[in-house]
Amino acid sequence: MQEKLTIIKVGGKIVEEADTLNQLLDDFSVLTGYKLLVHGGGRSATHMASRLGIESTMVNGRRVTDAETLKVVTMVYGGLVNKNIVAGLQAKGVNAIGLTGADMDVIRSVKRPVKDIDYGFVGDVERVDAEALATLIRRGVIPVMAPLTHDGKGHILNTNADTIAGETAKALAQIFDVTLVYCFEKKGVLSDENDDDSVIPVLTPNLFREYVGKGIIKEGMIPKLENAFSALEAGVGQVIITSASAIGKDIGTVIKK
Amino acid sequence: MQEKLTIIKVGGKIVEEADTLNQLLDDFSVLTGYKLLVHGGGRSATHMASRLGIESTMVNGRRVTDAETLKVVTMVYGGLVNKNIVAGLQAKGVNAIGLTGADMDVIRSVKRPVKDIDYGFVGDVERVDAEALATLIRRGVIPVMAPLTHDGKGHILNTNADTIAGETAKALAQIFDVTLVYCFEKKGVLSDENDDDSVIPVLTPNLFREYVGKGIIKEGMIPKLENAFSALEAGVGQVIITSASAIGKDIGTVIKK
């Protein structure tokens, strides 16, 4: 039987406010077993870009990353957000290490080809070095991954944190029994967007198609769930969509094959 | 016999300009044997602080680090400078990993006590985890260390890069035969500040005292050399002061016990 590994992905809002960050670090630090954290940081990046007079352009929820914006996200994700999480976890007895894809070459990507839209310095993940991550994890070191990868030619590339979490989960599923937890603002996938307690407990591909057909699941939740099903197909044991405050608790939407 | 390890410390100017950075990465990548890089980034931090409307205050060559300045150095040293070096080294086949002292708890420090001057969030190194670094190094992973440490209570602290290099060298000297190379703008310690070729080939404590007495060695070079002698006393095999362009060549001032 494979050893269990929990991969938690948290969005920008949670890690960017002192109170919610501290709560997250508390919850994450008491999680038992092997674990790995992936964080966003988009709000901080937008805020920092604005302070530097750099306009943030989003297309389909993704940041268009020109050379100046790349500097901002490299600083904010790889430096400010990542290192504060790492220091915070160390204070709680978690031996964390902050990683971008460039560090130990853990995530190699290619600059997204320009089709209708030029997203600039944005990376599409090519491969994750599961062995390098597993070696750290087995030594008791907890990877904290920033949403940055590299192209192997010397360039850092901005990469969506959900994608980092999904691809890392798929790669590590070859080694561990992986549970992938996507945390966002709600307690789970809702059947009624006006009722925060209307969490759908279980989603299968059939149920998903049914909810999409009825317009209950829509917009940004659709690619998130498609990612979840793709992770399950690639061997990830379980995907859970929940809120950060529910980490370690039995709340949320469980995605099943 | 202990295995050899070369620790290279480079200042901000070298890593902050594309041409000199690229040359450094070339020279560092062809260095044989175990190696570790420590970088500064002060000029970039000052530049970024200025763009953000934050005034940089230096006292005795050290940056006074208030809360806003700490954010800037965490972003610039831990993110921008560090990750660009790491990605650049990966492109040259060097399996680099970027580290602050918080990552894997490699360098623990204490916030400098306030005496005459309050330096703010500046860390004095307490201990370096040589075993954690040695484990990476022996696996063929090359640490690239940013001038940031942590206090174990959740706070990143700004820490002088020369000090990081010296303390890391001392700790690793228990495991490896360490050569510590401090790179700066000149080819070595000069006997005539107006003649860049007047490099003093060898400095012993006696010669050092003699040169200081005659006013030939002065100002910022004195603490740098005191650090070098202290590293030798703590077991570091050799300290060399030279220019970044001389890495791997037989140029510079060799400091001996």
Side-chain angles (χ1 to χ4, degrees), chain A residues 4-94:
Chain A
K4 285 183 186 297
L5 168 71
T6 307
I7 297 180
I8 308 264
K9 187 266 164 175
V10 289
K13 195 177 178 186
I14 293 150
V15 296
E16 289 160 8
E17 287 167 22
D19 285 357
T20 53
L21 173 60
N22 200 46
Q23 186 61 50
L24 167 74
L25 300 184
D26 273 341
D27 294 339
F28 185 78
S29 67
V30 298
L31 260 191
T32 53
Y34 291 141
K35 53 197 172 185
L36 180 153
L37 186 66
V38 179
H39 65 82
R43 287 161 197 250
S44 293
T46 299
H47 179 65
M48 187 56 62
S50 151
R51 281 184 66 183
L52 292 167
I54 300 163
E55 201 179 329
S56 292
T57 309
M58 310 297 284
V59 177
N60 302 329
R62 301 291 163 101
R63 188 178 303 271
V64 176
T65 309
D66 62 11
E68 279 293 293
T69 303
L70 181 65
K71 281 187 192 171
V72 171
V73 298
T74 304
M75 290 197 307
V76 171
Y77 301 162
L80 191 61
V81 177
N82 190 268
K83 298 314 169 191
N84 275 316
I85 293 175
V86 169
L89 285 174
Q90 289 288 352
K92 295 181 195 295
V94 175

Side-chain angles (χ1 to χ4, degrees), chain A residues 83 90 95-96 98 102-104, chain B residues 83 90 95-96 98 102-105:
Chain A
K83 298 314 169 191
Q90 289 288 352
N95 193 14
D103 298 293
M104 289 198 305
Chain B
K83 298 313 171 193
Q90 289 288 352
N95 193 15
D103 297 293
M104 288 199 304
D105 196 16

Side-chain angles (χ1 to χ4, degrees), chain A residues 87-147:
Chain A
L89 285 174
Q90 289 288 352
K92 295 181 195 295
V94 175
N95 193 14
I97 187 169
L99 297 174
T100 67
D103 298 293
M104 289 198 305
D105 196 15
V106 289
I107 309 182
R108 190 74 73 98
S109 64
V110 283
K111 187 170 176 292
R112 183 169 302 166
V114 179
K115 290 176 189 163
D116 301 342
I117 297 150
D118 183 357
Y119 282 97
F121 297 101
V122 162
D124 290 325
V125 173
E126 265 192 328
R127 60 139 199 76
V128 176
D129 187 345
E131 284 299 335
L133 289 170
T135 302
L136 289 175
I137 290 166
R138 289 202 168 115
R139 281 180 42 223
V141 177
I142 316 293
V144 175
M145 302 182 69

Side-chain angles (χ1 to χ4, degrees), chain B residues 202-220:
Chain B
V202 174
L203 267 179
T204 59
N206 281 340
L207 276 170
F208 172 59
R209 276 187 291 271
E210 193 185 315
Y211 282 120
V212 172
K214 288 182 180 165
I216 290 170
I217 293 175
K218 57 191 175 184
E219 294 165 2

Side-chain angles (χ1 to χ4, degrees), chain B residues 1 52 54 229:
Chain B
M1 220 183 76
L52 292 167
I54 300 163
F229 286 115

